[in-house]
């Protein structure tokens, strides 16, 4: 799932004009024509390290048997996935609900925080800038235990709601960081111009600021979804009896690895590719309209 954020980030910044120095360096690099440089070799090895496991998962999702050796081609695991894995799909639904809800909360709060901290002066501003990055550097087990103690202290029953709160909490700094990088590059004179033309604060926010920083907002949203879907440690501490996809897969692996997981992985890869293509077309339309 980490590749989704990288794909979306590349799409969002695809249409940005390169500086003259960057274009000159790119032309010089192409003229060298050294296809076997050390950097290229390291890049190829890194790509192989990242993608070979995915290729192995896809191949073994069509394996006829449960063993670690190919014994024939079969769709039996896909049949089992779509027809006899109701609990697995329910866990995926829980993960999707948690990811979308927590990402939306984190992105909205992160966007407002980035705008407020970057452009307004108030007491405690530097303190907020410092502590906002703590969830990014603290070990997940510490985050999970602290959230569990807090939620227990306010007598909140563990379940889907507590998972959403926990995920929104540790995704918030990432969304804030993504949006802040765009806000720092924003030309504040555009806001002054909108005020001179009679726009209110709300109109300026929704018609000027948000469209300008939308790539950063979308990057923060997609990264929050990625972090939420793949999280296991924090979710296992605050989930109660709700099983998200990582929790369900972990419980399955404890009783033996099932090739159904390989089939589900391939389906998720195809789904991610479809979402990336759809977002690419949608963002192109958005950029053309603005």
């Amino acid at each position: 799932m980490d590749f989704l954020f990288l794909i979306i980030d590349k799409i969002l910044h695809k249409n940005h004009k390169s500086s003259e120095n960057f274009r000159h360096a790119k032309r010089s690099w192409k003229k060298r024509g050294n296809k076997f440089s050390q950097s290229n070799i390291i890049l190829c090895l890194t790509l192989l390290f990242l993608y070979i496991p995915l290729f192995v998962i896809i191949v073994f999702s069509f394996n006829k048997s449960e063993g670690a050796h190919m014994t024939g081609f079969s769709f039996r695991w896909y049949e089992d996935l779509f027809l006899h894995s109701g609990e697995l799909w329910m866990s995926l639904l829980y993960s999707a609900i948690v990811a979308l809800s927590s990402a939306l909360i984190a992105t909205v709060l992160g966007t407002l925080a980035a705008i407020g901290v970057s452009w307004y002066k108030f007491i405690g501003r530097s303190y907020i800038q410092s502590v906002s990055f703590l969830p990014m550097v603290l070990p997940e087990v510490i985050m999970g235990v602290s959230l569990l103690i807090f939620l227990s202290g306010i007598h909140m029953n563990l379940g889907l709601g507590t998972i959403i709160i926990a995920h929104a909490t540790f995704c918030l700094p990432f969304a804030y960081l993504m949006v802040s990088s765009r806000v720092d590059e924003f030309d504040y004179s555009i806001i002054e111009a909108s005020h001179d033309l009679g726009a209110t604060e709300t109109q300026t926010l929704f018609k000027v600021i948000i469209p300008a920083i939308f790539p950063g907002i979308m990057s923060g949203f997609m990264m929050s979804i990625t972090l939420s879907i793949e999280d296991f440690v924090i979710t296992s501490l605050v989930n109660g009896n709700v099983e998200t996809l990582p929790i369900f897969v972990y419980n399955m692996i404890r009783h033996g690895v099932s090739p159904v997981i390989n089939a589900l992985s391939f389906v998720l890869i195809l789904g991610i590719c479809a979402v990336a293509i759809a977002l690419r077309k949608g963002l192109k339309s958005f950029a053309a309209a603005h």
Side-chain angles (χ1 to χ4, degrees), residues 184-236:
D184 292 340
E185 299 174 358
F186 191 84
D187 187 3
Y188 194 79
S189 61
I190 299 177
I191 298 178
E192 296 176 346
S194 67
H195 290 163
D196 292 338
L197 294 173
T200 62
E201 291 287 344
T202 303
Q203 291 174 334
T204 302
L205 176 63
F206 288 101
K207 294 185 178 181
V208 178
I209 299 176
I210 290 182
I213 65 175
F214 185 75
I217 295 174
M218 182 58 67
S219 297
F221 180 74
M222 297 309 301
M223 187 166 190
S224 298
I225 289 179
T226 303
L227 293 171
S228 176
I229 289 179
E230 70 177 8
D231 180 76
F232 173 78
V233 176
I234 295 178
T235 307
S236 64

Side-chain angles (χ1 to χ4, degrees), residues 7 59 81 106 140 202 204 213 257 289:
I7 293 171
V59 170
L81 173 65
E140 286 192 357
T202 303
T204 302
I213 65 175
V257 180

Side-chain angles (χ1 to χ4, degrees), residues 99-164:
L100 292 174
S101 302
S102 60
L104 181 62
I105 295 172
T107 304
V108 171
L109 294 178
T111 300
L112 296 177
I115 295 173
V117 172
S118 298
W119 290 343
Y120 296 93
K121 294 182 179 180
F122 52 88
I123 299 176
R125 176 188 177 189
S126 58
Y127 175 77
I128 293 177
Q129 288 177 319
S130 301
V131 300
S132 61
F133 297 103
L134 280 179
M136 299 176 62
V137 298
L138 288 175
E140 286 192 357
V141 64
I142 296 179
M143 279 287 300
V145 171
S146 61
L147 286 169
L148 177 61
I149 294 174
F150 171 76
L151 294 172
S152 300
I154 61 175
H155 305 289
M156 187 172 184
N157 295 327
L158 299 182
L160 197 62
T162 56
I163 300 176
I164 293 175

Side-chain angles (χ1 to χ4, degrees), residues 59 62-64 70-76:
V59 170
F62 297 100
N63 190 13
K64 190 174 183 179
M70 289 294 296
T71 58
F73 184 87
S74 174
F75 287 100
R76 60 174 294 194

